[in-house]
């Protein structure tokens, strides 16, 4: 009981710090942002609100200015059931990537952030 309360309190503190220190959004032309919005409509992030790794992933999504749907996978949630039945395990953060008829489930915050950076980040100078 105490551990759960402590975890919840620390999670809320992390969320507050995230809110206070949130990075600026990447700027794009309206046309570029529309293309990004279309491409990111095929992505969903399964997450817990106060999970530090989920907060880290959401910060990157915010910074990259990606309108990605977040789905709360808390106990009793329909998204938790969906995550378990379709992805095979309840582990967050998890990015659901739809490409035509193919669905890929990506775990690990660093892998998700790297994928998003490569796909939507600033092009690297040669």
């Amino acid at each position: 009981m105490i551990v759960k309360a402590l975890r919840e309190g620390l999670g809320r503190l992390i969320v507050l710090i995230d809110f206070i220190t949130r990075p600026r959004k990447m700027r794009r032309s309206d046309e570029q942002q529309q293309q990004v919005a279309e491409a990111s409509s095929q992505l969903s992030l399964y997450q817990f609100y106060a999970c530090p790794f989920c907060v880290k992933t959401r910060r990157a999504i915010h910074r990259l200015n990606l309108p990605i749907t977040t789905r709360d996978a808390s106990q009793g949630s329909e998204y938790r059931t969906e995550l378990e039945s379709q992805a095979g395990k309840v582990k967050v953060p998890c990015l659901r990537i739809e490409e035509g008829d193919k669905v890929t489930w990506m775990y690990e915050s660093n892998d998700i952030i790297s994928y998003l950076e490569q796909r939507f980040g600033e092009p690297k100078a040669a």
Side-chain angles (χ1 to χ4, degrees):
M1 181 78 145
I2 294 173
V3 173
K4 186 174 181 178
L6 182 62
R7 186 182 318 145
E8 182 66 24
L10 287 174
R12 299 287 174 182
L13 179 61
I14 290 168
V15 169
L16 175 64
I17 291 169
D18 168 50
F19 180 75
I20 293 169
T21 64
R22 183 158 286 163
R24 286 192 176 142
K25 288 183 177 183
M26 177 184 285
R27 293 179 188 249
R28 298 184 185 93
S29 70
D30 290 342
E31 182 180 313
Q32 289 173 323
Q33 188 61 35
Q34 180 61 35
Q35 291 172 347
V36 165
E38 273 184 41
S40 61
S41 71
Q42 303 303 308
L43 306 174
S44 303
L45 182 70
Y46 290 73
Q47 50 104 38
F48 297 149
Y49 179 71
C51 163
F53 298 104
C54 297
V55 170
K56 175 182 173 181
T57 305
R58 289 194 312 263
R59 285 178 66 86
I61 289 169
H62 177 83
R63 181 177 44 78
L64 291 167
N65 199 5
L66 304 175
I68 294 176
T69 301
T70 57
R71 297 180 172 173
D72 184 15
S74 300
Q75 192 73 29
S77 162
E78 68 181 282
Y79 296 122
R80 183 184 190 93
T81 305
E82 188 175 289
L83 184 59
E84 186 171 28
S85 66
Q86 294 182 22
K89 60 184 172 182
V90 177
K91 182 179 176 186
V92 295
C94 181
L95 185 67
R96 181 176 195 238
I97 307 164
E98 296 178 51
E99 297 170 306
D101 293 340
K102 181 183 174 198
V103 175
T104 304
W105 299 87
M106 182 179 292
Y107 295 97
E108 301 299 332
S109 58
N110 288 335
D111 293 343
I112 294 168
I113 293 167
S114 292
Y115 168 80
L116 295 174
E117 285 279 354
Q118 288 175 357
R119 188 163 175 198
F120 300 106
E122 299 271 349
K124 303 289 186 226

